[in-house]
Amino acid sequence: MTYSTKLFIVLQGILFLLLSIFLQFPYVNTNEVELRKLLFHKRSYDRRVCPEAGITKVHTNLILLQIESVDEKAQVVTSNVQLICAWCDPYMSWNISRYNITELSVGSKHLWTPDVVLVNSADGKYSRNREHYALILRHDGYVRFMFQDLWKTICKVRSTYFPFDQQHCTIIIRSGSRDVQSIKFIQRRPLVGRSFIRGEWELINSYTEITDERVSDFGQVDYSLVRFTLILKRNYVHYFMKIILPFTLVSFVTLFTFLLPPQTGEKLTLNVTILLSLVIYLQLLSGYIPKSDDETPILTLFCNANFFLVVLSCIMTVYVSYLYHRPSTSYIACVPTHMKIILLDYLSPLVYCHVNKHLRNRQLLQHDMEEKRPRRLSSIEKHMCQLFTVTAPVRPHNHQAVELLKILHQIKAHIRSQWLIPLNSHNEYDIGNEFLKIDNRKRLDEWQHVALVLDRLFFILFSIAMPCTALLFVFPHSSIGNNFHSNLTNIKVQTSDAKCDLIYTPMIT
């Protein structure tokens, strides 16, 4: 066999294979085209009429993909959802053994679809996104319609426990023109593997309720309503790390202002700096806190409470500084008796600010001042008189001694008239001033000790008040008022899907 003969046999095989493939595709395509012509063109089909005689059972299920936004002021929740509806259309069934096709993708304009409307819609425009989605038609007449849309629903948003809040929102759907005698909604089996896209909100739980209710008083007609209840929880990590924690730490720095000594003069400066920092944080918080008219968020109360404590600490710091640095006047008032008893006697040991050691140091200082104080001028005069006094038995032996004694008496008289009397009066005035200064110093020491006791007392009070405000803010979200989990979350509802192969026989054989 020559080389050309072998090449001819190979090319003949390839040509035969390609010819068989091209002949098979038109055959399959002809089956689908023929089936579509029989289903939608050669037979009369009115898509405005319900497919089943009597009540058409529509199995429905809602898949929440993401919470787009929550408007607390307008009480509107925008959610990205997928709605799945399944029903039986016996008029659209065929024999699978003849056409070898199990299912078709059909546009919504060729088949009947339930006119689902959103009852609690907050959007005035009717969404037509569902018209762009195809339906899945199975050989036994099973039809599945799944479309995705953004729904704006009215929801009572409670912003009291922001950002630790949970919301209880409901999406209600029904047929727009068919009552319960024509369309009956049934909960469909949930899809496995669908995950919620976590953003600011997290889906905690969901359940479905199907009831027959009268929508309006016009006509004695009931409609089949489906309530998809969603329990949402806000992700508070962002708010806690970016807002709450820094605001709390800045507020807690206020405690250290009471630990600074009053004589430093930096207590009020630190307080004013903290106050300005909190004002800046409040400006940032105003953009995050929900604006609700009927409820005040607990975060607002927490910020206002901390701001009030910082302002109060500024006032207390000014008062303590005023008590410690009393005005330097000629007379300082005494500490009132009741203040001495309450602050110095009772509260001073409790706040670990003892008065005995302080007073002992002041007494030692006063004793040193008295030791260094000059003697009284009367004692100097006494010594001088003893020096110039001559006793009676003394007899001068000569005239020079008598003259010397007279000169000494004249010196004594001159000293007494010129020095001792003015010095004595001036000394008495200085003594009075010295005693007044010592008395004023004692009173000033008492006022300073009162200021120290009050400073330590304010530190203890603020150390208790600030953690209490933080605890009252963090833990109320777990209280009964914020617990949205009701008994309905534990209801076990029977779910099913449309089963058409057990009920209807194929219409096209």
Short mmCIF file of all heavy atoms in Angstrom, two decimals, residues 283-343:
data_model
loop_
_atom_site.label_atom_id
_atom_site.label_comp_id
_atom_site.label_asym_id
_atom_site.label_seq_id
_atom_site.Cartn_x
_atom_site.Cartn_y
_atom_site.Cartn_z
N GLN A 283 -18.18 66.04 67.62
CA GLN A 283 -18.44 66.46 66.24
C GLN A 283 -18.35 65.27 65.28
O GLN A 283 -19.14 65.16 64.33
CB GLN A 283 -17.45 67.55 65.83
CG GLN A 283 -17.63 68.86 66.58
CD GLN A 283 -18.93 69.55 66.23
OE1 GLN A 283 -19.44 69.44 65.13
NE2 GLN A 283 -19.49 70.27 67.19
N LEU A 284 -17.40 64.37 65.53
CA LEU A 284 -17.29 63.18 64.68
C LEU A 284 -18.44 62.22 64.92
O LEU A 284 -18.94 61.57 63.99
CB LEU A 284 -15.95 62.47 64.96
CG LEU A 284 -14.69 63.26 64.60
CD1 LEU A 284 -13.45 62.48 65.01
CD2 LEU A 284 -14.64 63.55 63.11
N LEU A 285 -18.88 62.12 66.15
CA LEU A 285 -19.97 61.19 66.48
C LEU A 285 -21.29 61.61 65.87
O LEU A 285 -22.15 60.76 65.59
CB LEU A 285 -20.12 61.10 68.00
CG LEU A 285 -19.14 60.19 68.74
CD1 LEU A 285 -19.31 60.33 70.23
CD2 LEU A 285 -19.33 58.75 68.32
N SER A 286 -21.49 62.89 65.67
CA SER A 286 -22.76 63.36 65.13
C SER A 286 -23.03 62.81 63.74
O SER A 286 -24.19 62.69 63.33
CB SER A 286 -22.78 64.90 65.10
OG SER A 286 -21.74 65.39 64.26
N GLY A 287 -21.98 62.42 63.00
CA GLY A 287 -22.18 61.86 61.68
C GLY A 287 -22.48 60.37 61.69
O GLY A 287 -22.92 59.82 60.68
N TYR A 288 -22.24 59.69 62.81
CA TYR A 288 -22.46 58.25 62.90
C TYR A 288 -23.74 57.90 63.65
O TYR A 288 -24.37 56.88 63.35
CB TYR A 288 -21.28 57.58 63.61
CG TYR A 288 -20.02 57.55 62.78
CD1 TYR A 288 -19.04 58.53 62.92
CD2 TYR A 288 -19.79 56.53 61.87
CE1 TYR A 288 -17.89 58.49 62.17
CE2 TYR A 288 -18.63 56.48 61.11
CZ TYR A 288 -17.68 57.46 61.27
OH TYR A 288 -16.53 57.44 60.52
N ILE A 289 -24.10 58.68 64.64
CA ILE A 289 -25.26 58.34 65.47
C ILE A 289 -26.53 58.52 64.66
O ILE A 289 -26.71 59.53 63.98
CB ILE A 289 -25.29 59.22 66.73
CG1 ILE A 289 -24.06 58.93 67.59
CG2 ILE A 289 -26.56 58.99 67.53
CD1 ILE A 289 -23.97 59.77 68.83
N PRO A 290 -27.44 57.54 64.67
CA PRO A 290 -28.70 57.66 63.92
C PRO A 290 -29.52 58.84 64.39
O PRO A 290 -29.60 59.14 65.59
CB PRO A 290 -29.41 56.32 64.21
CG PRO A 290 -28.34 55.39 64.64
CD PRO A 290 -27.31 56.22 65.34
N LYS A 291 -30.14 59.49 63.44
CA LYS A 291 -30.98 60.66 63.73
C LYS A 291 -32.43 60.20 63.81
O LYS A 291 -33.11 60.08 62.80
CB LYS A 291 -30.79 61.73 62.66
CG LYS A 291 -29.36 62.26 62.57
CD LYS A 291 -29.19 63.22 61.41
CE LYS A 291 -27.77 63.79 61.37
NZ LYS A 291 -26.77 62.72 61.20
N SER A 292 -32.86 59.95 65.03
CA SER A 292 -34.23 59.49 65.25
C SER A 292 -34.95 60.49 66.13
O SER A 292 -34.36 61.07 67.07
CB SER A 292 -34.23 58.11 65.92
OG SER A 292 -35.54 57.67 66.16
N ASP A 293 -36.22 60.72 65.82
CA ASP A 293 -36.99 61.73 66.55
C ASP A 293 -37.64 61.17 67.82
O ASP A 293 -37.81 61.91 68.80
CB ASP A 293 -38.08 62.31 65.65
CG ASP A 293 -37.49 63.03 64.45
OD1 ASP A 293 -36.35 63.53 64.58
OD2 ASP A 293 -38.15 63.09 63.40
N ASP A 294 -38.01 59.90 67.82
CA ASP A 294 -38.75 59.35 68.95
C ASP A 294 -37.87 58.62 69.95
O ASP A 294 -38.32 58.31 71.06
CB ASP A 294 -39.84 58.40 68.45
CG ASP A 294 -39.28 57.32 67.54
OD1 ASP A 294 -38.12 57.44 67.13
OD2 ASP A 294 -40.02 56.35 67.24
N GLU A 295 -36.62 58.28 69.61
CA GLU A 295 -35.74 57.56 70.51
C GLU A 295 -34.38 58.22 70.55
O GLU A 295 -33.88 58.70 69.52
CB GLU A 295 -35.60 56.09 70.08
CG GLU A 295 -36.89 55.28 70.21
CD GLU A 295 -36.67 53.85 69.81
OE1 GLU A 295 -35.57 53.53 69.32
OE2 GLU A 295 -37.61 53.04 69.98
N THR A 296 -33.77 58.22 71.73
CA THR A 296 -32.43 58.77 71.90
C THR A 296 -31.45 57.61 72.07
O THR A 296 -31.61 56.80 72.98
CB THR A 296 -32.36 59.68 73.13
OG1 THR A 296 -33.31 60.75 72.98
CG2 THR A 296 -30.97 60.27 73.29
N PRO A 297 -30.46 57.48 71.20
CA PRO A 297 -29.49 56.38 71.33
C PRO A 297 -28.75 56.45 72.66
O PRO A 297 -28.45 57.53 73.18
CB PRO A 297 -28.55 56.58 70.14
CG PRO A 297 -29.34 57.39 69.17
CD PRO A 297 -30.23 58.29 69.99
N ILE A 298 -28.46 55.27 73.18
CA ILE A 298 -27.75 55.21 74.46
C ILE A 298 -26.31 55.70 74.30
O ILE A 298 -25.69 56.14 75.27
CB ILE A 298 -27.80 53.78 75.01
CG1 ILE A 298 -27.42 53.77 76.49
CG2 ILE A 298 -26.93 52.84 74.22
CD1 ILE A 298 -27.63 52.44 77.15
N LEU A 299 -25.77 55.65 73.09
CA LEU A 299 -24.43 56.19 72.86
C LEU A 299 -24.42 57.70 73.05
O LEU A 299 -23.44 58.26 73.57
CB LEU A 299 -23.97 55.83 71.44
CG LEU A 299 -22.59 56.33 71.03
CD1 LEU A 299 -21.52 55.78 71.96
CD2 LEU A 299 -22.28 55.95 69.59
N THR A 300 -25.50 58.37 72.68
CA THR A 300 -25.59 59.81 72.92
C THR A 300 -25.61 60.12 74.41
O THR A 300 -24.95 61.05 74.88
CB THR A 300 -26.86 60.37 72.25
OG1 THR A 300 -26.82 60.05 70.85
CG2 THR A 300 -26.95 61.87 72.41
N LEU A 301 -26.38 59.32 75.16
CA LEU A 301 -26.42 59.51 76.61
C LEU A 301 -25.06 59.24 77.24
O LEU A 301 -24.64 59.94 78.17
CB LEU A 301 -27.47 58.59 77.23
CG LEU A 301 -28.91 58.79 76.73
CD1 LEU A 301 -29.84 57.79 77.39
CD2 LEU A 301 -29.39 60.21 77.01
N PHE A 302 -24.36 58.23 76.74
CA PHE A 302 -23.03 57.91 77.26
C PHE A 302 -22.05 59.06 77.02
O PHE A 302 -21.29 59.44 77.92
CB PHE A 302 -22.54 56.62 76.61
CG PHE A 302 -21.10 56.31 76.87
CD1 PHE A 302 -20.69 55.87 78.12
CD2 PHE A 302 -20.15 56.46 75.87
CE1 PHE A 302 -19.35 55.58 78.36
CE2 PHE A 302 -18.82 56.19 76.10
CZ PHE A 302 -18.42 55.74 77.35
N CYS A 303 -22.06 59.59 75.80
CA CYS A 303 -21.16 60.71 75.48
C CYS A 303 -21.51 61.95 76.29
O CYS A 303 -20.61 62.65 76.81
CB CYS A 303 -21.23 61.01 73.99
SG CYS A 303 -20.64 59.68 72.93
N ASN A 304 -22.79 62.22 76.44
CA ASN A 304 -23.19 63.38 77.23
C ASN A 304 -22.84 63.20 78.70
O ASN A 304 -22.44 64.16 79.38
CB ASN A 304 -24.69 63.62 77.08
CG ASN A 304 -25.07 64.09 75.70
OD1 ASN A 304 -24.25 64.65 74.98
ND2 ASN A 304 -26.31 63.88 75.30
N ALA A 305 -22.96 61.97 79.20
CA ALA A 305 -22.60 61.71 80.60
C ALA A 305 -21.11 61.92 80.83
O ALA A 305 -20.70 62.55 81.83
CB ALA A 305 -23.02 60.30 81.00
N ASN A 306 -20.28 61.42 79.92
CA ASN A 306 -18.84 61.62 80.06
C ASN A 306 -18.47 63.09 79.89
O ASN A 306 -17.59 63.60 80.61
CB ASN A 306 -18.10 60.78 79.02
CG ASN A 306 -17.94 59.34 79.44
OD1 ASN A 306 -17.01 58.97 80.14
ND2 ASN A 306 -18.86 58.51 79.00
N PHE A 307 -19.13 63.75 78.97
CA PHE A 307 -18.86 65.19 78.79
C PHE A 307 -19.25 65.96 80.04
O PHE A 307 -18.54 66.88 80.47
CB PHE A 307 -19.64 65.69 77.58
CG PHE A 307 -19.24 67.06 77.14
CD1 PHE A 307 -18.09 67.27 76.41
CD2 PHE A 307 -20.02 68.16 77.45
CE1 PHE A 307 -17.72 68.54 76.00
CE2 PHE A 307 -19.66 69.43 77.06
CZ PHE A 307 -18.51 69.63 76.33
N PHE A 308 -20.38 65.59 80.66
CA PHE A 308 -20.80 66.25 81.89
C PHE A 308 -19.82 65.99 83.02
O PHE A 308 -19.52 66.89 83.83
CB PHE A 308 -22.19 65.76 82.27
CG PHE A 308 -22.67 66.24 83.61
CD1 PHE A 308 -23.10 67.55 83.79
CD2 PHE A 308 -22.69 65.39 84.70
CE1 PHE A 308 -23.53 68.00 85.02
CE2 PHE A 308 -23.11 65.82 85.94
CZ PHE A 308 -23.54 67.13 86.11
N LEU A 309 -19.28 64.76 83.10
CA LEU A 309 -18.31 64.45 84.15
C LEU A 309 -17.03 65.26 83.96
O LEU A 309 -16.43 65.72 84.95
CB LEU A 309 -18.00 62.96 84.14
CG LEU A 309 -19.11 62.03 84.63
CD1 LEU A 309 -18.69 60.57 84.49
CD2 LEU A 309 -19.46 62.32 86.09
N VAL A 310 -16.60 65.44 82.73
CA VAL A 310 -15.39 66.23 82.49
C VAL A 310 -15.63 67.70 82.84
O VAL A 310 -14.77 68.35 83.45
CB VAL A 310 -14.95 66.07 81.02
CG1 VAL A 310 -13.77 66.98 80.72
CG2 VAL A 310 -14.57 64.63 80.73
N VAL A 311 -16.79 68.22 82.48
CA VAL A 311 -17.12 69.61 82.85
C VAL A 311 -17.18 69.75 84.37
O VAL A 311 -16.68 70.73 84.94
CB VAL A 311 -18.45 70.03 82.19
CG1 VAL A 311 -18.90 71.39 82.71
CG2 VAL A 311 -18.31 70.08 80.68
N LEU A 312 -17.79 68.76 85.02
CA LEU A 312 -17.86 68.80 86.48
C LEU A 312 -16.46 68.71 87.10
O LEU A 312 -16.20 69.37 88.13
CB LEU A 312 -18.73 67.63 86.97
CG LEU A 312 -19.07 67.61 88.46
CD1 LEU A 312 -19.87 68.84 88.85
CD2 LEU A 312 -19.84 66.35 88.82
N SER A 313 -15.58 67.93 86.50
CA SER A 313 -14.22 67.86 87.02
C SER A 313 -13.50 69.20 86.86
O SER A 313 -12.70 69.58 87.73
CB SER A 313 -13.44 66.77 86.28
OG SER A 313 -13.24 67.12 84.93
N CYS A 314 -13.79 69.93 85.78
CA CYS A 314 -13.21 71.28 85.65
C CYS A 314 -13.68 72.21 86.76
O CYS A 314 -12.89 72.95 87.35
CB CYS A 314 -13.60 71.86 84.28
SG CYS A 314 -12.83 71.07 82.86
N ILE A 315 -14.97 72.14 87.07
CA ILE A 315 -15.50 72.98 88.14
C ILE A 315 -14.88 72.60 89.47
O ILE A 315 -14.49 73.46 90.27
CB ILE A 315 -17.04 72.86 88.18
CG1 ILE A 315 -17.64 73.35 86.86
CG2 ILE A 315 -17.61 73.63 89.36
CD1 ILE A 315 -19.13 73.14 86.76
N MET A 316 -14.77 71.30 89.74
CA MET A 316 -14.18 70.85 91.00
C MET A 316 -12.70 71.22 91.08
O MET A 316 -12.19 71.55 92.16
CB MET A 316 -14.35 69.33 91.13
CG MET A 316 -15.80 68.88 91.22
SD MET A 316 -16.70 69.73 92.55
CE MET A 316 -18.36 69.15 92.26
N THR A 317 -12.01 71.17 89.95
CA THR A 317 -10.60 71.55 89.95
C THR A 317 -10.42 73.03 90.27
O THR A 317 -9.51 73.42 91.02
CB THR A 317 -9.98 71.22 88.59
OG1 THR A 317 -10.14 69.83 88.31
CG2 THR A 317 -8.51 71.58 88.55
N VAL A 318 -11.28 73.86 89.72
CA VAL A 318 -11.23 75.29 90.02
C VAL A 318 -11.51 75.53 91.50
O VAL A 318 -10.84 76.35 92.16
CB VAL A 318 -12.23 76.06 89.14
CG1 VAL A 318 -12.34 77.52 89.57
CG2 VAL A 318 -11.81 75.98 87.68
N TYR A 319 -12.47 74.80 92.06
CA TYR A 319 -12.82 74.98 93.47
C TYR A 319 -11.67 74.53 94.38
O TYR A 319 -11.34 75.19 95.37
CB TYR A 319 -14.09 74.20 93.78
CG TYR A 319 -14.56 74.34 95.21
CD1 TYR A 319 -15.02 75.57 95.69
CD2 TYR A 319 -14.55 73.26 96.08
CE1 TYR A 319 -15.45 75.71 96.99
CE2 TYR A 319 -14.98 73.39 97.39
CZ TYR A 319 -15.42 74.62 97.84
OH TYR A 319 -15.84 74.76 99.14
N VAL A 320 -11.05 73.39 94.04
CA VAL A 320 -9.92 72.90 94.84
C VAL A 320 -8.76 73.88 94.77
O VAL A 320 -8.10 74.17 95.78
CB VAL A 320 -9.52 71.49 94.36
CG1 VAL A 320 -8.19 71.08 94.97
CG2 VAL A 320 -10.60 70.49 94.74
N SER A 321 -8.49 74.39 93.57
CA SER A 321 -7.39 75.37 93.43
C SER A 321 -7.69 76.65 94.21
O SER A 321 -6.77 77.26 94.79
CB SER A 321 -7.18 75.69 91.95
OG SER A 321 -6.85 74.53 91.22
N TYR A 322 -8.95 77.04 94.25
CA TYR A 322 -9.31 78.23 95.02
C TYR A 322 -9.10 78.00 96.52
O TYR A 322 -8.62 78.88 97.24
CB TYR A 322 -10.76 78.59 94.74
CG TYR A 322 -11.31 79.68 95.65
CD1 TYR A 322 -10.96 81.01 95.46
CD2 TYR A 322 -12.16 79.35 96.71
CE1 TYR A 322 -11.44 82.00 96.31
CE2 TYR A 322 -12.66 80.33 97.55
CZ TYR A 322 -12.29 81.66 97.35
OH TYR A 322 -12.78 82.62 98.19
N LEU A 323 -9.45 76.82 96.99
CA LEU A 323 -9.26 76.52 98.41
C LEU A 323 -7.78 76.40 98.77
O LEU A 323 -7.37 76.80 99.88
CB LEU A 323 -9.99 75.23 98.79
CG LEU A 323 -11.52 75.25 98.72
CD1 LEU A 323 -12.08 73.91 99.13
CD2 LEU A 323 -12.09 76.35 99.63
N TYR A 324 -7.00 75.85 97.86
CA TYR A 324 -5.59 75.65 98.17
C TYR A 324 -4.82 76.97 98.11
O TYR A 324 -3.97 77.23 98.96
CB TYR A 324 -4.99 74.65 97.19
CG TYR A 324 -3.62 74.17 97.60
CD1 TYR A 324 -3.49 73.09 98.47
CD2 TYR A 324 -2.46 74.78 97.12
CE1 TYR A 324 -2.24 72.64 98.85
CE2 TYR A 324 -1.21 74.35 97.50
CZ TYR A 324 -1.10 73.27 98.37
OH TYR A 324 0.13 72.83 98.76
N HIS A 325 -5.11 77.78 97.13
CA HIS A 325 -4.43 79.06 97.00
C HIS A 325 -5.39 80.16 97.46
O HIS A 325 -6.03 80.84 96.64
CB HIS A 325 -4.00 79.30 95.55
CG HIS A 325 -3.12 78.23 95.01
ND1 HIS A 325 -1.78 78.13 95.31
CD2 HIS A 325 -3.40 77.17 94.18
CE1 HIS A 325 -1.26 77.09 94.70
NE2 HIS A 325 -2.22 76.49 94.01
N ARG A 326 -5.51 80.33 98.78
CA ARG A 326 -6.40 81.35 99.32
C ARG A 326 -5.85 82.74 99.01
O ARG A 326 -4.64 82.92 98.91
CB ARG A 326 -6.54 81.20 100.84
CG ARG A 326 -7.17 79.90 101.27
CD ARG A 326 -8.64 79.86 100.99
NE ARG A 326 -9.36 80.82 101.81
CZ ARG A 326 -10.68 80.96 101.81
NH1 ARG A 326 -11.41 80.21 101.00
NH2 ARG A 326 -11.27 81.84 102.57
N PRO A 327 -6.70 83.73 98.84
CA PRO A 327 -6.21 85.09 98.57
C PRO A 327 -5.35 85.59 99.73
O PRO A 327 -5.68 85.41 100.91
CB PRO A 327 -7.50 85.91 98.44
CG PRO A 327 -8.56 84.92 98.11
CD PRO A 327 -8.17 83.65 98.79
N SER A 328 -4.22 86.20 99.40
CA SER A 328 -3.28 86.68 100.42
C SER A 328 -3.77 88.02 100.98
O SER A 328 -3.36 89.09 100.56
CB SER A 328 -1.89 86.84 99.79
OG SER A 328 -1.95 87.71 98.69
N THR A 329 -4.67 87.94 101.93
CA THR A 329 -5.19 89.13 102.61
C THR A 329 -4.65 89.18 104.03
O THR A 329 -3.98 88.26 104.51
CB THR A 329 -6.73 89.09 102.63
OG1 THR A 329 -7.16 87.89 103.29
CG2 THR A 329 -7.29 89.09 101.21
N SER A 330 -4.92 90.29 104.74
CA SER A 330 -4.42 90.44 106.11
C SER A 330 -5.13 89.50 107.07
O SER A 330 -4.59 89.19 108.14
CB SER A 330 -4.61 91.89 106.56
OG SER A 330 -5.99 92.24 106.49
N TYR A 331 -6.33 89.05 106.71
CA TYR A 331 -7.07 88.15 107.58
C TYR A 331 -7.70 87.03 106.75
O TYR A 331 -8.36 87.30 105.75
CB TYR A 331 -8.17 88.92 108.34
CG TYR A 331 -9.02 88.02 109.21
CD1 TYR A 331 -8.53 87.55 110.42
CD2 TYR A 331 -10.30 87.66 108.81
CE1 TYR A 331 -9.31 86.72 111.22
CE2 TYR A 331 -11.09 86.84 109.60
CZ TYR A 331 -10.59 86.38 110.81
OH TYR A 331 -11.35 85.56 111.60
N ILE A 332 -7.44 85.78 107.14
CA ILE A 332 -7.98 84.60 106.48
C ILE A 332 -9.03 83.99 107.38
O ILE A 332 -8.77 83.74 108.56
CB ILE A 332 -6.88 83.58 106.15
CG1 ILE A 332 -5.86 84.20 105.20
CG2 ILE A 332 -7.46 82.31 105.53
CD1 ILE A 332 -4.69 83.29 104.88
N ALA A 333 -10.22 83.75 106.81
CA ALA A 333 -11.31 83.21 107.62
C ALA A 333 -11.01 81.77 108.03
O ALA A 333 -10.28 81.03 107.37
CB ALA A 333 -12.62 83.25 106.82
N CYS A 334 -11.59 81.40 109.15
CA CYS A 334 -11.41 80.04 109.67
C CYS A 334 -12.25 79.06 108.87
O CYS A 334 -13.27 79.41 108.27
CB CYS A 334 -11.81 79.98 111.15
SG CYS A 334 -10.80 81.01 112.23
N VAL A 335 -11.82 77.81 108.87
CA VAL A 335 -12.60 76.74 108.24
C VAL A 335 -13.84 76.50 109.09
O VAL A 335 -13.75 76.39 110.32
CB VAL A 335 -11.77 75.46 108.12
CG1 VAL A 335 -12.59 74.34 107.49
CG2 VAL A 335 -10.52 75.72 107.31
N PRO A 336 -15.04 76.45 108.47
CA PRO A 336 -16.25 76.21 109.26
C PRO A 336 -16.16 74.93 110.07
O PRO A 336 -15.50 73.96 109.69
CB PRO A 336 -17.36 76.14 108.20
CG PRO A 336 -16.81 76.92 107.04
CD PRO A 336 -15.33 76.69 107.05
N THR A 337 -16.85 74.93 111.19
CA THR A 337 -16.77 73.78 112.11
C THR A 337 -17.31 72.51 111.46
O THR A 337 -16.72 71.43 111.58
CB THR A 337 -17.56 74.09 113.39
OG1 THR A 337 -17.08 75.32 113.94
CG2 THR A 337 -17.37 72.99 114.42
N HIS A 338 -18.45 72.62 110.77
CA HIS A 338 -19.02 71.42 110.14
C HIS A 338 -18.10 70.87 109.05
O HIS A 338 -18.02 69.65 108.85
CB HIS A 338 -20.39 71.73 109.56
CG HIS A 338 -20.37 72.73 108.43
ND1 HIS A 338 -20.32 74.11 108.64
CD2 HIS A 338 -20.36 72.55 107.08
CE1 HIS A 338 -20.29 74.72 107.47
NE2 HIS A 338 -20.33 73.82 106.51
N MET A 339 -17.37 71.75 108.35
CA MET A 339 -16.44 71.27 107.33
C MET A 339 -15.24 70.58 107.97
O MET A 339 -14.74 69.58 107.45
CB MET A 339 -15.99 72.45 106.47
CG MET A 339 -15.20 72.05 105.24
SD MET A 339 -14.78 73.44 104.17
CE MET A 339 -16.42 73.85 103.53
N LYS A 340 -14.80 71.11 109.13
CA LYS A 340 -13.71 70.44 109.85
C LYS A 340 -14.11 69.05 110.30
O LYS A 340 -13.36 68.08 110.16
CB LYS A 340 -13.30 71.27 111.06
CG LYS A 340 -12.50 72.51 110.74
CD LYS A 340 -12.09 73.20 112.04
CE LYS A 340 -11.27 74.45 111.76
NZ LYS A 340 -10.86 75.12 113.00
N ILE A 341 -15.33 68.95 110.84
CA ILE A 341 -15.78 67.65 111.38
C ILE A 341 -15.94 66.64 110.24
O ILE A 341 -15.51 65.48 110.35
CB ILE A 341 -17.09 67.83 112.16
CG1 ILE A 341 -16.84 68.73 113.39
CG2 ILE A 341 -17.66 66.48 112.60
CD1 ILE A 341 -18.10 69.08 114.15
N ILE A 342 -16.58 67.07 109.15
CA ILE A 342 -16.89 66.13 108.06
C ILE A 342 -15.64 65.76 107.27
O ILE A 342 -15.36 64.57 107.04
CB ILE A 342 -17.96 66.73 107.13
CG1 ILE A 342 -19.28 66.92 107.90
CG2 ILE A 342 -18.18 65.82 105.92
CD1 ILE A 342 -20.35 67.63 107.09
N LEU A 343 -14.86 66.77 106.87
CA LEU A 343 -13.74 66.52 105.97
C LEU A 343 -12.48 66.09 106.71
O LEU A 343 -11.86 65.09 106.36
CB LEU A 343 -13.47 67.76 105.13
CG LEU A 343 -14.57 68.18 104.15
CD1 LEU A 343 -14.18 69.45 103.43
CD2 LEU A 343 -14.86 67.07 103.15
#
